[in-house]
């Protein structure tokens, strides 16, 4: 755009820096996390033939836990394992993420990466909103319904050809993945409010790695 308008090009890192320092920091971080989330299905696609959903999930969780451990160690954020930590919220997040890995990767294996991701990502905001209203008493704002409908319709239209009539029974797997991840989305703020988010996620990932063994 800068070249078209005859303006001086702005380095990408400056755009990122300004976004991090502005009111767009929250939405920007969500977009970046969504980018990394897309790697989830890629791992299933690149996994060796015959690799089960358990194996893919275990590799992903263990690798992520090790990376976060190194990050926390280098940044001085390794937590002390005391009773003061939000263990209840951490455990809920760990259990939900563990089951999400299994449901999602199994759905991606049966439906294909594109179709499995469409169902899971499309259903996630619905599940999160319903769980938030029922268990946490937080009713979504009106704009949530409109935004969710647009997101689901857009993702479905982009990948409608990925679905096959014979595979529709397997849709329940990514739907269950979205359900358990909806619980994670509602419990995770309690972790971030009581400790460094990176440290909380690291502990949860190590717990998941043990669960999947």
């Amino acid at each position: 755009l800068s070249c078209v308008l005859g303006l001086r090009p702005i380095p990408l890192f400056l755009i990122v820096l300004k976004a991090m320092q502005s009111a767009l920091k929250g939405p920007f971080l969500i977009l970046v996390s969504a980018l990394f989330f897309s790697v989830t299905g890629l791992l299933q696609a690149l996994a060796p033939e015959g690799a089960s959903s358990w194996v893919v999930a275990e590799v992903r969780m263990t690798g992520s836990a090790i990376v976060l451990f190194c990050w926390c160690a280098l940044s001085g954020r390794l937590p002390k394992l005391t009773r003061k930590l939000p263990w209840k919220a951490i455990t809920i997040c760990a259990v939900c993420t563990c089951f999400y890995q299994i449901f999602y990767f199994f759905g991606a294996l049966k439906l294909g990466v594109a179709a499995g991701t469409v169902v899971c990502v499309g259903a996630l905001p619905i599940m999160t909103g319903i769980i938030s209203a029922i268990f946490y008493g937080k009713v979504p704002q009106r704009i949530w319904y409109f935004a969710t409908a647009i997101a689901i319709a857009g993702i479905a239209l982009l990948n409608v050809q990925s679905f096959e009539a014979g595979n529709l029974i397997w849709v329940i797997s990514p739907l269950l993945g979205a359900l358990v991840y909806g619980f994670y989305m509602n419990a995770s703020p309690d972790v971030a409010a009581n400790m460094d988010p990176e440290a909380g996620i690291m502990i949860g990932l190590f717990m998941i790695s043990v669960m999947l063994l």
Side-chain angles (χ1 to χ4, degrees):
L1 180 60
S2 299
C3 296
V4 173
L5 298 178
L7 302 176
R8 182 179 178 182
I10 302 176
L12 179 59
F13 76 91
L14 288 180
I15 298 177
V16 174
L17 181 61
K18 289 183 179 180
M20 291 292 291
Q21 295 175 343
S22 67
L24 296 176
K25 180 178 180 179
F28 175 77
L29 292 176
I30 292 175
L31 288 174
V32 173
S33 66
L35 176 63
F36 284 104
F37 178 84
S38 64
V39 180
T40 304
L42 180 63
L43 291 177
Q44 178 71 67
L46 297 179
E49 185 177 355
S52 67
S53 303
W54 293 84
V55 173
V56 177
E58 175 68 25
V59 171
R60 182 170 180 261
M61 292 296 96
T62 304
S64 300
I66 294 174
V67 171
L68 274 178
F69 177 83
C70 295
W71 169 263
C72 291
L74 293 174
S75 60
R77 299 182 182 182
L78 284 177
K80 295 182 179 179
L81 302 181
T82 65
R83 293 182 179 180
K84 295 182 179 180
L85 294 179
W87 287 110
K88 180 180 178 180
I90 292 175
T91 302
I92 291 175
C93 290
V95 172
C96 290
T97 305
C98 179
F99 281 101
Y100 162 77
Q101 300 294 316
I102 298 171
F103 288 137
Y104 173 79
F105 283 119
F106 186 77
L109 183 64
K110 294 296 182 179
L111 294 173
V113 173
T117 304
V118 165
V119 176
C120 190
V121 175
L124 178 57
I126 298 176
M127 299 296 188
T128 302
I130 294 174
I131 292 170
S132 178
I134 295 176
F135 295 94
Y136 295 86
K138 300 178 181 178
V139 180
Q141 299 178 0
R142 292 182 180 180
I143 190 64
W144 174 85
Y145 299 95
F146 181 68
T148 300
I150 292 178
I152 295 175
I155 296 175
L157 289 173
L158 286 172
N159 297 275
V160 66
Q161 294 182 349
S162 299
F163 292 98
E164 296 179 5
N167 289 335
L168 289 181
I169 190 174
W170 300 113
V171 168
I172 190 173
S173 184
L175 282 177
L176 289 173
L179 176 64
V180 294
Y181 207 74
F183 280 100
Y184 168 88
M185 295 293 289
N186 282 282
S188 57
D190 292 335
V191 178
N194 294 280
M195 63 184 302
D196 288 325
E198 302 95 323
I201 295 173
M202 177 199 68
I203 295 174
L205 290 176
F206 276 116
M207 292 172 66
I208 297 169
S209 299
V210 175
M211 294 178 195
L212 290 173
L213 288 178

